[in-house]
Amino acid sequence: MAAKLILSMDGAVLKEYPLNKERMTIGRKQHNDIAIDNLAVSGEHAAIVTILNDSFLEDLDSTNGLEVNGTPTKKHFLQNNDVIGIGKYKLKYINDQVTQSTPADFEKTMVLRSPVKQTAPGATKPAEVTSFTKTQTDLNKPAVETSLEKTGKLDALKPAAPAQVAVVQILTGSNAGKELELTKNLTTLGKPGVQVAVLTRRPHGFFITHVEGANHPTVNGMALSDQSHQLNDHDVIELAGVKMEFYYKG
């Protein structure tokens, strides 16, 4: 049975929504999959990405924010019986299936810095673009360390495992040439509030899914749909103004 959300207000159940799409949006505007006609709800308030038996909630830079089990949050790995709060409305998450990932897989988000414009010879070098995450506290790291970051944490590059390892390599900007091995089942990447996608590792390969932003990421110059797209060796992804190449090592 697919996971579902049960919408209620003041204890009265209003509607049930099966999570039968990989990406569903919650918001005031009618085009949302879960439309809540209330001024406390932003036009596009939040998104839920469901991969196999796992669902991940992300705030879409809403005005009034959201809560899970009474705690304000921007991003959350949903677990059975979690209650999402948006204004006076509650959305209870029901999922009795065994999950494939852990909350840590979603919380460690790879954040990419936007390209820095080239300066003319002799001109002063522009300042490094600041991190896209509000949780980043140390902006004075060496260039190697600032190249690829997790949300609030640095994801150290790990030595290649004997098995085939998937890698994302940055192609543009001041961090061109930097690599990150995709060691987690799920990695979100991009610029929160602008464009975000999620890379998921499945038994038969890696897939990219659009999560946030009016414009969809591109793979080899073709814009993605709302459905997941399987990545092939040496595909070129463009996301939040940054080009990167997906490939397998060894």
Side-chain angles (χ1 to χ4, degrees), residues 85-179:
I86 301 178
K88 296 181 179 180
Y89 293 86
K90 305 294 182 187
L91 285 158
K92 187 172 184 179
Y93 176 73
I94 302 295
N95 183 9
D96 57 5
Q97 301 296 310
V98 177
T99 61
Q100 303 296 316
S101 304
T102 66
D105 286 342
F106 189 56
E107 290 305 321
K108 293 181 179 178
T109 304
M110 183 174 74
V111 178
L112 304 168
R113 294 174 182 276
S114 61
V116 176
K117 293 181 179 179
Q118 299 295 322
T119 55
T124 303
K125 185 178 179 181
E128 176 78 11
V129 178
T130 57
S131 172
F132 293 133
T133 58
K134 294 180 181 178
T135 51
Q136 177 64 29
T137 56
D138 181 8
L139 299 178
N140 297 315
K141 296 178 180 178
V144 172
E145 291 186 6
T146 56
S147 60
L148 294 167
E149 296 168 333
K150 298 294 186 178
T151 301
K153 297 180 181 179
L154 183 70
D155 182 28
L157 296 179
K158 301 175 182 178
Q164 193 177 44
V165 176
V167 173
V168 167
Q169 182 181 51
I170 307 304
L171 300 178
T172 58
S174 59
N175 296 314
K178 306 303 180 186
E179 295 181 352

Side-chain angles (χ1 to χ4, degrees), residues 22 49 51 56 184-187 198-202 205-209 228 231:
E22 289 206 4
V49 175
I51 308 293
F56 308 90
K184 296 292 184 180
N185 288 334
L186 186 148
T187 304
V198 64
L199 292 181
T200 53
R201 179 171 55 191
R202 303 185 189 178
F206 278 81
F207 289 74
I208 183 170
T209 306
S228 63
L231 291 169

Side-chain angles (χ1 to χ4, degrees), residues 6-240:
I6 301 174
L7 177 65
S8 65
M9 185 177 70
D10 297 330
V13 173
L14 303 177
K15 195 170 181 179
E16 290 190 8
Y17 297 91
L19 298 178
N20 52 14
K21 293 170 60 179
E22 289 206 4
R23 182 178 186 269
M24 297 181 67
T25 57
I26 305 168
R28 188 178 69 254
K29 294 180 180 178
Q30 288 302 309
H31 70 261
N32 289 283
D33 300 288
I34 301 174
I36 303 175
D37 187 13
N38 186 281
L39 292 177
V41 181
S42 295
E44 288 190 357
H45 201 102
I48 294 178
V49 175
T50 300
I51 308 293
L52 300 177
N53 295 325
D54 300 328
S55 293
F56 308 90
L57 171 72
E58 187 152 15
D59 190 312
L60 297 182
D61 200 25
S62 62
T63 302
N64 295 317
L66 52 80
E67 297 180 343
V68 175
N69 303 328
T71 302
T73 186
K74 284 286 189 182
K75 187 185 300 182
H76 184 76
F77 175 90
L78 289 167
Q79 300 179 72
N80 192 31
N81 293 320
D82 275 350
V83 176
I84 304 166
I86 301 178
K88 296 181 179 180
Y89 293 86
K90 305 294 182 187
L91 285 158
K92 187 172 184 179
Y93 176 73
I94 302 295
N95 183 9
D96 57 5
Q97 301 296 310
V98 177
T99 61
Q100 303 296 316
S101 304
T102 66
D105 286 342
F106 189 56
E107 290 305 321
K108 293 181 179 178
T109 304
M110 183 174 74
V111 178
L112 304 168
R113 294 174 182 276
S114 61
V116 176
K117 293 181 179 179
Q118 299 295 322
T119 55
T124 303
K125 185 178 179 181
E128 176 78 11
V129 178
T130 57
S131 172
F132 293 133
T133 58
K134 294 180 181 178
T135 51
Q136 177 64 29
T137 56
D138 181 8
L139 299 178
N140 297 315
K141 296 178 180 178
V144 172
E145 291 186 6
T146 56
S147 60
L148 294 167
E149 296 168 333
K150 298 294 186 178
T151 301
K153 297 180 181 179
L154 183 70
D155 182 28
L157 296 179
K158 301 175 182 178
Q164 193 177 44
V165 176
V167 173
V168 167
Q169 182 181 51
I170 307 304
L171 300 178
T172 58
S174 59
N175 296 314
K178 306 303 180 186
E179 295 181 352
L180 181 75
E181 292 178 4
L182 302 175
T183 59
K184 296 292 184 180
N185 288 334
L186 186 148
T187 304
T188 55
L189 60 153
K191 182 178 179 180
V194 176
Q195 197 176 50
V196 176
V198 64
L199 292 181
T200 53
R201 179 171 55 191
R202 303 185 189 178
H204 49 292
F206 278 81
F207 289 74
I208 183 170
T209 306
H210 172 68
V211 174
E212 177 185 349
N215 297 318
H216 288 45
T218 65
V219 175
N220 301 328
M222 299 292 291
L224 297 177
S225 67
D226 282 337
Q227 301 303 311
S228 63
H229 174 84
Q230 184 167 9
L231 291 169
N232 296 312
D233 200 18
H234 298 297
D235 274 352
V236 176
I237 304 164
E238 184 166 357
L239 176 67

